[in-house]
Amino acid sequence: TTDEREFVRLGALRGLAAAAPQDAVALVSKTLVGSDPVAANFAAQIVAEYPGGDMTKPFAAAYASLPPAAQALLVRGLGDRKDAGAREVVVTALGSDDKAVKLAAATALGNVGNEADVPALSALIASGDAELAAAARTALANTDNKSFDEAIATAVGTSSGAGKAVLVELLSDRMAPKAAATALAALSDSDATVRTAALRSLTKLGGPAETPAVVAALKNTADDAERSEAANALNAIAAIHKDAVLPAVLEGLNGAGTPARLALLRNLGVI
């Protein structure tokens, strides 16, 4: 059948690449630029799985000679190798004018990048391009490299608006050491999107030390959605820490408006 012939052909491609490492880069490059999208994607998989760390740089060296569609596939394969030796060419690809290449590079940096790449990924998050922002966010969320945490916390301080909100929540998703402190500081941001992100973060990470600020956020906002997020955060903290948050809640009842007072009284039931 056609499927069986395709399977045999792709298997032969893999076998040829494995049998002759000196020719593997040329063979893969030729397949990447070919007219068969299945074979081209398979070639990218060969790049990802080819054994030997010494092969990363030869594959990466092929990048400049390829057209954009093939560059995107090569970068995907290099990222999936999870070898920091590919970082230089992936950073180059992030600066491409071709969106597919840039998307592949943003994703790959989650595997081969380091803390120096956080500003560029943060800029993509704030770029207004939903696809690029999602790829950059996923890269920052999924990387196992803990050195990213400090850099993300630093990026929060130089960001604003929706981009800053994403970074605040990223820190809490990563359970980063500075996540709670960063969220606490973000509660005073002038942007409601950032404050809401901070409250969602404190729902997961907040404790008695953050409770007074959460109570203040609940009391001070005139926005129902933001108040609801503050109440959720306060209830989550109270469910874990119980009597430790009681003084802050009781103090918060003083001078609270009706919506805030009702939320605080409901919180007493959680305590």
Side-chain angles (χ1 to χ4, degrees):
T1 67
T2 301
D3 288 345
E4 290 172 337
R5 288 195 297 271
E6 182 79 354
F7 182 80
V8 170
R9 187 168 67 88
L10 295 178
L13 175 62
R14 184 190 294 275
L16 286 171
Q22 70 277 11
D23 299 325
V25 174
L27 179 61
V28 165
S29 297
K30 181 179 179 180
T31 308
L32 286 172
V33 300
S35 59
D36 184 342
V38 174
N41 276 278
F42 190 75
Q45 192 63 28
I46 290 175
V47 173
E49 297 175 354
Y50 204 93
D54 58 338
M55 288 299 294
T56 297
K57 289 192 178 298
F59 279 126
Y63 172 84
S65 66
L66 298 174
Q71 286 179 334
L73 290 170
L74 176 65
V75 169
R76 189 189 79 196
L78 289 169
D80 288 343
R81 285 181 72 81
K82 299 185 178 181
D83 183 344
R87 176 181 176 270
E88 183 176 353
V89 74
V90 172
V91 170
T92 297
L94 193 68
S96 172
D97 292 331
D98 185 89
K99 185 173 178 179
V101 176
K102 192 182 287 286
L103 277 169
T107 300
L109 281 175
N111 289 330
V112 305
N114 60 38
E115 65 274 16
D117 302 312
V118 170
L121 291 172
S122 299
L124 288 182
I125 287 173
S127 68
D129 185 304
E131 287 183 289
L132 289 172
R137 190 199 185 288
T138 298
L140 291 176
N142 292 347
T143 180
D144 294 327
N145 189 338
K146 297 301 182 184
S147 69
F148 276 65
D149 292 341
E150 182 70 30
I152 295 172
T154 299
V156 170
T158 59
S159 301
S160 61
K164 182 174 183 176
V166 170
L167 294 176
V168 169
E169 290 202 71
L170 263 173
L171 280 178
S172 64
D173 290 345
R174 291 177 59 80
M175 302 297 285
K178 290 188 176 181
T182 301
L184 191 62
L187 283 180
S188 62
D189 199 274
S190 60
D191 191 311
T193 303
V194 176
R195 296 195 303 272
T196 298
L199 289 166
R200 283 197 290 264
S201 295
L202 291 173
T203 298
K204 293 177 277 190
L205 300 175
E210 291 76 37
T211 301
V214 174
V215 170
L218 190 152
K219 291 174 63 177
N220 294 337
T221 183
D223 181 77
D224 290 341
E226 187 174 350
R227 187 183 305 108
S228 177
E229 291 288 354
N232 288 341
L234 188 59
N235 290 341
I237 295 169
I240 296 172
H241 298 282
K242 300 296 183 179
D243 288 349
V245 306
L246 183 59
V249 175
L250 292 175
E251 175 64 27
L253 287 168
N254 295 324
T258 299
R261 175 177 288 273
L262 290 173
L264 291 169
L265 289 173
R266 284 192 289 268
N267 183 258
L268 290 176
V270 176
I271 297 172

